[in-house]
Structure formats: structure tokens, C-alpha cells
Amino acid sequence: MENKTLSTKTDTMQTNLSRKDFLKLLLKLALPICFQQFMLASVGAADAFMLGSVEQNSMAAVSLATQIQFIQNMIMASVISATTVLGAQYWGKQDMKSLDDIFSLSLRLCAFVSVLFFSLCTLIPGKLMFIYTNEPALIAIGESYLRIAGFSYLLTGISQSFLAMMKVTDHVFTGALISSSAVVVNIVLNAVFIYSLKLGAIGAAIATLTARCLEVILAVSTSFRRGFIHPKLRELLHINKNLTSDFFKCMLPLLGAGLLWGLGFTSYPSFMGHLGTDAAASNSVTAVIRDLICCACDGLASGCGIMVGNELGSGNLARGKSHGRRMLKLSFIVGILSALLMFAISPAILAGVKLTEQARTYLMQMLAVMSVYMIGRSVNSITINGIFAAGGDTLFDMYSLAVVMWAIAVPLAALGTYVFHWPVVLVYACTCLDEVGKIPWTMLHFKKYKWVKDLTRDRQ
């Protein structure tokens, strides 16, 4: 990998875009992704609120069951993120052959992960559920959900690879439209299966599988339209050794960080599940609201990564650095606005779900804690997943998670749950320490500018 830095390659273009042009370009990329993320999070919201309006245990069980898919998504996210990082830089360089190689590699890796999780969910769903709760009622419901939803996990990697390539090749709106169409179908079918046919958690699983089938069909067929990129059959098994090496250098730290974060993050619902069904149910609702509000920072992180990556890959390192500084400031603004939004919608959330009085008390306390968490989540998502990743600076996230999450947040939450028997809200606050605690470390690392790199190679 050519490790070109700011001091070794001169920017031949104007360093700064005007504020208006910068925001216009960012919104063009980020708004469709924010909308796409919001629509994807809406599926979880629909599951939670539709099931929650019928029966509390179904909502809690499905929320715990989907943690399995969450882990799968964390693994595949490392592949998709590496695809996006390298894809954005090679797109900035307009090297189409390398883009084809990246696409094929992404599909191969995602297919392997999809088959693995499909097998686990369909063969041992009960054992997977036992990881997150020891409540027999929740295990039984979650097991029935996973046996069906597991088939949708076969398709996830295919659709995500196609959508990622659309994102980095200036078809971000089309990718968002495909993903959002599948979400709408999912939500409509949720309503039919849960309310009309009374299928509960099984209905939610059938709706998820149907929507995923639609998403794959739309993504693959669209990629064959003029102006889009699709993998060529003869290239799917072709291995570009240099590019594969670059891909894994970028992906493996992302995978390490994803596993550290994903396993830690999915342990949090496990703590809540072992504190009782009321704690599990209130945590399920809070998680849905968190995911909905985080769509803004996640969408901006993706848009930022593409913007910075395009500039770095085309050799405009000074402009890429300038984009990063602007995005850092914006991350704090988005975080504060997200916290205020969490406060503002809390009364409506409490009125919209059917919970026991104890669960409602837990929910109110968790929403207050989550408001503070949103600031850290915004800053770290945009800076680490957007700015740092755009230049291949992917090791920092793994190191910071090893310390802040696994040396502080997870041990404290585990001790509070199993040893000291702390109040539910205090255990929940421990699970939110990781994002808030990383902010000072993230700021120090940003100033080192290790992320200002051109990762592309000249083809031999």
C-alpha cells in the first residue's frame, strides 16, 4: 500500500471548499444515508412497538433474539466498511478495475459470514437465546423467531455489498431508495402478521425474511443498469493479491473493533435480561429509540467517510484534512441536538408502549442516561467511523474499545449485575460509559493526523 502523507504529496487544488459548497456536498451524500439508516432502524422500532402493544414478553424476546443478527452485522460491517474506505479512494482515483476486485472480494467474504450465522440460527437457536436470558418464556419466543429469521441472514451480505458499492459510486440515493422500499414492505407485513393474523414474533420473522428477499432482488437487478457497477462472474473468484492485502490491512482492525464493540454491546442486553423481564423490556424500547436517533450521526459518518476518502484517494490531502476538521466540529453539534431530541420525545415514548409500572420507571431513567450518551456516540461515530476510517486509520477504534469498553464499562456492568446487585439504572449507566469515556482520547488522536493518507496503488 502506498503510504502517501500530507508532506509527500502536494495538493494541486484549492484546499478549502466554501462553507456552502461543503455543506451542499455533505448533505447530498449524508441525507440519503441518514434516511436509509432511519428506515432500517424503523424496522426494529416497528417490531418493538407493534409487539409491545400486544405483549411485553414478545417484544423483549425479539429484541434479545436480534442481538444475534447484530453480531453478524458487526462482522459484515468490517467488510462493508473496508469496501467503502477503499472503494471511495479508488473511485476518487477513477480506477474501475480495482473497484471490480474490491466488489468481488466483499461478496466472497460476506457470503461466508452469512452462511455461518444462518447455520447457527437455524440449528441451535435455543442455545443462542440462553446467552442473553435465562427466562424460559423469552427463550421459547426467541427460538421460534430465529428459526425463520435465520434464513434472511443468508441474504444480508449480498444486499449490503451491492448497496455499499452504490454508495461510493455516486448512486447513494438509489441505494437508499432500495433499502427504504424493503423497510416499508417489512413494516406493512409486520402490521398484517402481528395485528391481523396474530402471529406475534413468528410474524415479525416472516416479514423480515420477505423484505430481505425483495432488497436483494432490487439491489442485484439495479446494479446491471447503465452507469452502475456489478460483479462479473469471471471476476468473482479472481484474487488480486496486492489489493486483497490492502483490504485485509484495512478490514482486520475494523473487524477487531467491531467484535469488541459488538460483543460488548450485546452483553449489555444480557445484563438487562438477567435483571428481569421489566429491565429487559425497558432496555428494548430504549435501544430502539437510540438506534432511530443515531441515524443522523451514522449517516453523517458515512457521508463524511466518502467525502474525505474521495479527496485522499485523488491526492487532495490538504482538502481531505480540512473536511475532517469541519466534520469534527459538526459532530459535537449533532450530538447536542440528539441529546435534546431524546429529552423532548421521552413523554411520547412513555405514552406509546404497553409496559408494567416498574418497567415504565426503568424506561424513564434509561432515557435520561441515554441523552448524555448521545453526545459521545455522535462524536465518536463521525470521527472514528467517518474521518479516521477514510484514511485507513482503523487501529485506534480497536485499542480504545479494548480499554474503555472491556476494561471499564463491561466489568462494571457485570459486577453491578451479578455481584453487587446495583439498581437497574446504575447498571444501565455503566453500559453507556464507553462512548462518553472515549471523547478525550478521540480528540487527542485526531490532532495527530495519522488518518490523512492516500491508500491507493497504481496498477502494474
Side-chain angles (χ1 to χ4, degrees), residues 407-429:
I408 299 175
V410 171
L412 281 176
L415 288 171
T417 300
Y418 302 114
V419 179
F420 300 121
H421 306 293
W422 288 340
V424 169
V425 66
L426 184 55
V427 174
Y428 184 77

Side-chain angles (χ1 to χ4, degrees), residues 112-191:
F112 173 78
V113 175
S114 296
V115 170
L116 174 63
F117 276 82
F118 159 75
S119 301
L120 292 173
C121 290
T122 53
L123 295 176
I124 54 169
K127 293 180 180 179
L128 294 179
M129 283 298 300
F130 189 72
I131 297 172
Y132 298 103
T133 181
N134 55 2
E135 295 284 344
L138 299 184
I139 291 174
I141 296 171
E143 187 175 3
S144 66
Y145 176 88
L146 285 175
R147 287 193 187 278
I148 298 172
F151 284 89
S152 72
Y153 303 165
L154 269 178
L155 307 174
T156 302
I158 298 173
S159 61
Q160 291 305 305
S161 293
F162 277 83
L163 294 174
M165 197 53 63
M166 290 181 191
K167 191 185 302 180
V168 300
T169 55
D170 291 342
H171 297 295
V172 62
F173 178 79
T174 302
L177 184 62
I178 290 171
S179 182
S180 300
S181 298
V183 168
V184 170
V185 170
N186 197 335
I187 293 174
V188 171
L189 291 179
N190 264 347

Side-chain angles (χ1 to χ4, degrees), residues 52 60 70 90 107 195 202 230 311 349 427 437:
F70 179 81
Y90 277 104
L107 281 170
Y195 292 134
I202 293 177
H230 62 269
E311 298 297 342
I349 297 167
V427 174

Side-chain angles (χ1 to χ4, degrees), residues 212-254:
R212 190 64 67 195
C213 290
L214 174 65
E215 183 179 68
V216 168
I217 292 170
L218 290 175
V220 174
S221 60
T222 301
S223 73
F224 283 86
R225 289 167 48 189
R226 186 172 182 178
F228 288 77
I229 293 177
H230 62 269
K232 300 171 181 61
L233 291 178
R234 64 178 180 275
E235 299 291 339
L236 282 176
L237 298 180
H238 171 71
I239 297 176
N240 180 325
K241 292 183 179 180
N242 288 333
L243 193 58
T244 299
S245 175
D246 293 347
F247 192 95
F248 276 93
K249 285 178 183 177
C250 184
M251 188 200 78
L252 289 177
L254 290 168

